[in-house]
Amino acid sequence: MAIKVISGKTYNCVREQIVKEILNNLSLDIVNYVIVPDNLVRLVKTELVRLSGTKTIFNLKVIGFNGLCEEFLNKNNKILSKEQSFIIFKNIIAKNKDNLKSYAKIVGNIGAERELFEMVNILADSCINSEELHLAGLSIGSISGEKIQDIAMLYKSYYDTIKSKYADKHIKFDVLIQFLKQDNLSLNYKFYVLEFGSMTKHQLDILNSMAMLKNDLTIGVVSNEKSENKRIYPRFLTDFCKNLSENYGLQVEISNAQEDENALRTALLDNLYAYNIAS
């Protein structure tokens, strides 16, 4: 297993370096998975083809974490769209109207119901436990505590309702994490993760499980630690890779992407949002 980190000041230079890495190691025996945010899949596919200078690259798949679930997991349960999930959640609110302490009046108010649904999605993205959330509501008390208890009950009821028949992205992510922990993947798979400016707790847990595999993993990190404006760069992947080395004893190889040598561009990247720009 090899864990590589390719670091650069911009997404473009990191992407270009990873494309070079992929093209230099293409093999008919290896399937390369390039994992990017779902909304950037089409863009990155286009960029990879452009940077490679060819119309087709064999054994290369650009997907998001949702696509990764579909690649490796069976499809026994129906996958719910977000709108289908909301309809089920809406019905759960109506059924639990008499049990709600603070949110009973929102039943039938589709705008308020959607806001609650989005809140449940955020909780699931963050891997918050519904039982612990309920206990937190009890300890807080007052109206705020009652609202938290209501949300915890709806959160639990929703997942209790769908988990045996259906799956949403959060259930898929949980199953994928357990699948990866079994470490039964063929060594003919290589993984590249790039373009992420942020990740949910679920996504980081998947990445952590991937790092424990015997398969090669390359992570693209946008960072500028030595510049005056280093604070504007996302640190979560830098900290994640540091944690792999320090807490798990994994060997992490770090390399820097080749940067544009344009002096003005370099000065902007290093100083544009610096506190000492006036000096």
Side-chain angles (χ1 to χ4, degrees):
M1 173 190 68
I3 300 176
K4 296 181 181 179
V5 174
I6 295 178
S7 177
K9 296 178 183 178
T10 65
Y11 289 105
N12 284 342
C13 74
V14 171
R15 185 191 309 133
E16 289 178 10
Q17 189 66 38
I18 287 180
V19 171
K20 290 178 184 177
E21 182 100 4
I22 293 171
L23 295 177
N24 289 337
N25 295 283
L26 280 179
S27 167
L28 293 177
D29 299 324
I30 300 294
V31 180
N32 299 286
Y33 285 97
V34 178
I35 303 167
V36 300
D38 290 309
N39 62 320
L40 294 181
V41 168
R42 182 173 295 181
L43 170 66
V44 174
K45 280 183 180 178
T46 304
E47 279 294 286
L48 286 175
V49 171
R50 181 184 69 81
L51 292 168
S52 69
T54 63
K55 292 185 177 180
T56 305
I57 307 175
F58 291 101
N59 287 355
L60 177 65
K61 297 185 178 184
V62 181
I63 56 178
F65 280 111
N66 282 307
L68 194 67
C69 291
E70 294 175 13
E71 284 285 318
F72 292 111
L73 302 181
N74 63 50
K75 301 175 178 62
N76 291 338
N77 290 348
K78 175 180 172 58
I79 306 299
L80 296 172
S81 67
K82 191 167 184 178
E83 194 61 27
Q84 289 171 327
S85 297
F86 172 67
I87 291 170
I88 293 173
F89 183 75
K90 190 175 184 302
N91 290 333
I92 288 170
I93 294 176
K95 288 179 182 178
N96 287 280
K97 180 179 179 180
D98 295 336
N99 298 321
L100 295 172
K101 300 175 183 294
S102 292
Y103 285 114
K105 292 182 180 179
I106 74 163
V107 176
N109 182 332
I110 195 166
E113 290 172 338
R114 282 195 183 277
E115 285 189 24
L116 266 186
F117 179 62
E118 291 301 328
M119 196 176 299
V120 165
N121 271 284
I122 292 170
L123 292 169
D125 270 338
S126 304
C127 302
I128 302 296
N129 181 281
S130 61
E131 299 293 342
E132 292 176 0
L133 186 65
H134 175 73
L135 291 174
L138 287 175
S139 66
I140 291 172
S142 73
I143 296 175
S144 295
E146 289 182 351
K147 288 181 177 179
I148 292 172
Q149 291 174 59
D150 282 353
I151 293 166
M153 181 190 68
L154 294 172
Y155 180 24
K156 183 177 186 301
S157 296
Y158 170 72
Y159 280 102
D160 284 347
T161 299
I162 70 170
K163 65 183 179 183
S164 60
K165 297 179 181 178
Y166 308 106
D168 66 359
K169 71 174 183 178
H170 306 112
I171 292 175
K172 286 193 298 182
F173 285 176
D174 283 336
V175 175
L176 179 62
I177 290 166
Q178 294 307 314
F179 171 77
L180 292 173
K181 285 181 177 179
Q182 295 172 16
D183 200 5
N184 291 328
L185 273 186
S186 165
L187 293 178
N188 293 339
Y189 298 125
K190 285 186 177 181
F191 299 100
Y192 299 84
V193 178
L194 63 150
E195 305 286 337
F196 284 93
S198 64
M199 279 188 179
T200 66
K201 175 67 166 55
H202 251 143
Q203 291 171 334
L204 279 171
D205 285 348
I206 293 172
L207 188 57
N208 189 74
S209 298
M210 292 169 66
M212 303 301 159
L213 297 171
K214 300 182 182 71
N215 305 72
D216 289 349
L217 171 65
T218 300
I219 303 172
V221 175
V222 178
S223 177
N224 198 1
E225 287 295 305
K226 296 181 180 179
S227 74
E228 293 294 338
N229 62 354
K230 62 183 180 182
R231 73 188 189 284
I232 71 171
Y233 286 84
R235 284 200 54 85
F236 73 100
L237 280 177
T238 303
D239 293 339
F240 173 83
C241 296
K242 183 179 179 181
N243 181 58
L244 290 179
S245 177
E246 293 181 355
N247 295 338
Y248 291 95
L250 298 175
Q251 187 172 352
V252 180
E253 176 189 328
I254 301 175
S255 63
N256 293 319
Q258 184 174 353
E259 303 283 353
D260 187 341
E261 296 300 326
N262 182 288
L264 176 58
R265 183 173 181 275
T266 299
L268 287 172
L269 286 172
D270 290 347
N271 298 288
L272 183 58
Y273 295 102
Y275 288 128
N276 67 345
I277 190 66
S279 63

